[in-house]
Amino acid sequence: MSSLNKVILIGNLGRDPEVRYMPNGEPVCNFSIATSEVWNDRQSGQRQERTEWHNITLYRRLAEVAGQYLRKGSSVYIEGRIQSRKYMGKDGIERTAYEIIGNEMKMLGSRSSGTAEYGGEAQGAYPQPATQQQNYQNAPVYQQEAQNTPPAAPRRQAPAAPAAPVDDIDDDIPF
């Protein structure tokens, strides 16, 4: 049976990204993003909101880009996988932490709003798109190169129709 571990989040950074380097020299970037859910309470009719915080970890080039361009409050799209990690708390109780290991990132927002800066682009502010969906579609995509992952299986193609026999090809030659 197949399985899938995929997470897609769109949220805002709660703090500036923190970039560190592993002993082999590869960068690692950690930050947290907040996602919010809003609904109207059926009993009271009041608007309710719940914010969920997600710990994000990026590696290699993706970590460098995030550390360079993201800031607290930046709006970002993250795609990756969830990973759990066990640790011993200060009180001696074993706990489990969950983090998102990102392999794709899109910086949302504009230069003028201060949410994300894009390097190597034209001078001036980006126009603010009318909708979040348009903003998402126009954002630059940064993907992590897959390491030690098997190549994708070849896709099946429909068999080609047999070519019709050619009786006399001399008449079609222009020279």
Side-chain angles (χ1 to χ4, degrees):
M1 176 182 228
S2 296
S3 64
L4 177 66
N5 180 354
K6 185 171 187 169
V7 176
I8 298 174
L9 298 170
I10 296 176
N12 296 320
L13 272 72
R15 59 184 165 94
D16 285 348
E18 181 180 309
V19 179
R20 294 185 318 258
Y21 293 86
M22 294 189 286
N24 64 3
E26 289 187 351
V28 179
C29 182
N30 293 307
F31 56 92
S32 59
I33 64 172
T35 57
S36 295
E37 178 182 7
V38 178
W39 71 95
N40 287 328
D41 189 315
R42 288 185 182 181
Q43 294 175 345
S44 67
Q46 292 184 346
R47 182 176 176 219
Q48 301 289 322
E49 182 175 358
R50 178 176 46 219
T51 300
E52 189 74 34
W53 287 93
H54 311 275
N55 294 321
I56 310 295
T57 302
L58 305 174
Y59 293 97
R60 294 177 279 289
R61 180 69 184 136
L62 205 52
E64 291 175 339
V65 170
Q68 187 174 3
Y69 295 111
L70 295 180
R71 295 290 169 256
K72 179 179 179 178
S74 296
S75 184
V76 66
Y77 166 98
I78 298 288
E79 191 173 311
R81 61 185 165 81
I82 192 165
Q83 182 173 300
S84 62
R85 168 174 57 83
K86 294 198 181 293
Y87 67 97
M88 191 65 65
K90 292 180 182 177
D91 55 4
I93 298 174
E94 186 176 281
R95 301 187 188 279
T96 304
Y98 296 94
E99 60 188 352
I100 308 303
I101 308 300
N103 58 17
E104 183 175 327
M105 174 182 70
K106 289 186 180 187
M107 295 179 285
L108 308 175
S110 67
R111 283 186 179 182
S112 61
S113 66
T115 58
E117 297 176 3
Y118 301 89
E121 301 287 341
Q123 296 290 333
Y126 283 89
Q128 192 69 359
T131 65
Q132 182 72 15
Q133 181 66 22
Q134 289 171 338
N135 195 2
Y136 166 75
Q137 290 173 345
N138 296 329
V141 178
Y142 298 93
Q143 290 186 331
Q144 184 66 50
E145 301 86 28
Q147 299 256 342
N148 300 326
T149 57
R155 293 184 180 182
R156 280 191 153 185
Q157 294 180 349
V166 178
D167 293 335
D168 186 15
I169 65 168
D170 289 339
D171 294 340
D172 295 335
I173 300 175
F175 50 90

